Amino acid sequence: MSCGVESSSTWNSIPIAGVDFLESTNFYLAIWDQGADGELTVNNFKARYGCGEPDLCSLSVGDPEVSCVVDGIYSVTVPIDGVNAQYSAIDLNALTISEDICLGNIGEGGAISGSFVLTYNEGTNYNIDIVASGEPTLECTDPFNPTQCTGNVQGTSPVTTVVTAGDESVCIGNTVQLSATPSGGTWSGDNVSASGLFDAAGLTAGPYEVTYTFTDNTGCSFNDVATVTVVSSPDADELEDVTACDNYTLPSLSAVINTGQEPEVQGHNCLLVM
């Protein structure tokens, strides 16, 4: 019925302008006896959208999940919830975009959620439109209101943090403090503490690799590998350069010093004799 107009026994409509009924909404219907004769009866009432009981789409776009950069590429995952349409993700700057998603109706057992995955070059920001198709190519519902079922997410590209771990050398039985940039990361591997103190006690001579890992404020981790060279105590040879650790006595030290050359103290408590 229209407001103030007496109803017949057939279906009558009450238009409500500007309401799309895509969200839960409360409306109140007042019915009164037009003739005040006590002969008013209501035996059926139905609420619907438009004529012909059309299918309505509905879309809700969730927060995107941005991956870390790997080999210059990152990905964005966009979750969606909705019904009754074929949905597409669109971004001209994307390298790849996952396939369209067909969402049905929970009352009919169809999927009502899904997600898109898009990939980008590092340094390329994302600006993703989610739209419902007015002419679905999949076996999806052709919705009455596709232009009302859209969404957008956008954001900036994550960046790679360059990590540099410095190589070091140390004599058997000694320790050496490793260094790396940026600061604030942690070390891992055999014979090294989280703070980067490498202990060569009980080791044999040779190279040892340890890893420095830095995690940025987005939770992405980057690392670099440092090589620590453990030096043994060799037999002295006056004809060659000899590196001796602080707990080793060079048997030919006096002979070398008599050549007039001064011994030079190197790092890590080692004595280099030329």
Side-chain angles (χ1 to χ4, degrees):
M1 69 180 74
S2 297
C3 184
V5 177
E6 185 174 359
S7 172
S8 66
S9 60
T10 60
W11 281 105
N12 291 267
S13 63
I14 305 175
I16 305 176
V19 178
D20 58 20
F21 292 100
L22 296 183
E23 303 291 340
S24 300
T25 308
N26 292 322
F27 290 93
Y28 299 92
L29 178 65
I31 301 175
W32 67 96
D33 184 356
Q34 185 77 14
D37 54 12
E39 296 181 359
L40 174 66
T41 59
V42 178
N43 59 16
N44 204 346
F45 176 76
K46 184 177 184 180
R48 69 184 183 189
Y49 185 105
C51 299
E53 299 186 359
D55 292 306
L56 299 179
C57 64
S58 176
L59 175 67
S60 175
V61 179
D63 294 331
E65 180 180 338
V66 181
S67 76
C68 302
V69 176
V70 178
D71 297 329
I73 304 294
Y74 75 97
S75 66
V76 180
T77 301
V78 185
I80 64 170
D81 295 300
V83 295
N84 295 337
Q86 175 181 327
Y87 294 94
S88 304
I90 302 173
D91 189 346
L92 298 180
N93 291 323
L95 295 175
T96 62
I97 302 176
S98 59
E99 296 180 349
D100 287 1
I101 298 173
C102 184
L103 298 184
N105 192 302
I106 192 171
E108 299 172 356
I112 58 170
S113 64
S115 60
F116 293 102
V117 178
L118 299 86
T119 61
Y120 298 84
N121 283 319
E122 179 181 3
T124 300
N125 298 333
Y126 63 91
N127 187 356
I128 305 169
D129 290 316
I130 309 297
V131 299
S133 174
E135 298 179 356
T137 57
L138 302 177
E139 294 183 3
C140 302
T141 300
D142 185 1
F144 177 79
N145 59 328
T147 58
Q148 292 179 307
C149 301
T150 62
N152 175 271
V153 292
Q154 53 187 288
T156 58
S157 166
V159 296
T160 298
T161 298
V162 178
V163 174
T164 303
D167 296 338
E168 285 287 356
S169 61
V170 62
C171 295
I172 291 176
N174 288 357
T175 61
V176 61
Q177 178 62 52
L178 307 179
S179 61
T181 58
S183 61
T186 58
W187 293 87
S188 61
D190 295 335
N191 311 300
V192 68
S193 68
S195 61
L197 185 66
F198 187 90
D199 188 353
L203 300 182
T204 58
Y208 294 82
E209 290 188 343
V210 291
T211 301
Y212 179 75
T213 302
F214 174 80
T215 302
D216 65 18
N217 56 9
T218 67
C220 293
S221 295
F222 307 90
N223 60 63
D224 190 28
V225 174
T227 299
V228 180
T229 302
V230 175
V231 181
S232 63
S233 302
D235 293 331
D237 186 341
E238 62 181 1
L239 300 179
E240 297 179 1
D241 293 348
V242 176
T243 301
C245 297
D246 59 351
N247 59 352
Y248 184 81
T249 301
L250 291 175
S252 60
L253 182 60
S254 58
V256 174
I257 293 177
N258 288 338
T259 64
Q261 294 176 311
E262 294 293 333
E264 179 184 353
V265 177
Q266 302 290 315
H268 315 306
N269 300 318
C270 293
L271 182 67
L272 180 64
V273 181
M274 305 298 293

